[in-house]
Amino acid sequence: MCFTPCSAAMEFSILRATSVSSCEGEAPGSDADTVRAGFAAMQARGAIRRIGALPDHYALGYVANGMTVWDIDDAQLRDCGRRLGALGFVSHCYHRPRSLPAWPYNLFAMVHAHDRAEVEARRAEMRALLGSACRADAVLYSTRILKKTGLRIGA
């Protein structure tokens, strides 16, 4: 994350200061310019990619979460992953090795929707997009959240 002890202390200070805000929306002990400058420096070095708000998709009504899994021909995996990853309703998409014979799937893509019917409609759309490169697919639905946090560094 950082390259020198000085920048490490600054980065952890910024992260700590911005993780708790006051009623007025200000980070205790930090002025806005210092926080913005710190984030800009971290972004310029490649320590962070972006800063954004993370909405609670459950509170917004997206209560059906389906990890779609795909058995894709290895020669077409990269292209298929790019196509699925470009879909606006896919929150993350990645390759994982198969575990044959029990688990033939090698491409994973998460879909959040209002209900399971919407997930299934999206899955059909994805299947059509993949065409003959897709040999099989399934969807794994979330039933209960056991732990949900973002990456915590130095906590």
Side-chain angles (χ1 to χ4, degrees), residues 55-147:
D56 179 345
H57 60 275
Y58 289 96
L60 295 173
Y62 290 87
V63 295
N65 304 294
M67 178 60 77
T68 61
V69 295
W70 309 89
D71 177 8
I72 301 296
D73 176 64
D74 289 331
Q76 299 179 59
L77 181 65
R78 185 175 297 258
D79 179 58
C80 289
R82 284 187 182 127
R83 283 191 267 157
L84 290 188
L87 295 170
F89 56 83
V90 171
S91 64
H92 48 285
C93 182
Y94 50 92
H95 165 246
R96 285 210 169 151
R98 308 170 200 279
S99 184
L100 296 173
W103 190 258
Y105 307 109
N106 60 345
L107 183 61
F108 294 64
M110 188 67 170
V111 175
H112 301 282
H114 294 97
D115 54 43
R116 287 188 178 197
E118 186 179 352
V119 171
E120 292 298 336
R122 299 293 195 189
R123 180 176 164 207
E125 187 178 335
M126 296 162 81
R127 192 181 304 113
L129 182 67
L130 296 172
S132 62
C134 176
R135 298 183 289 221
D137 66 282
V139 63
L140 310 172
Y141 287 102
S142 300
T143 56
R144 187 170 54 144
I145 297 172
L146 301 175
K147 179 178 181 182

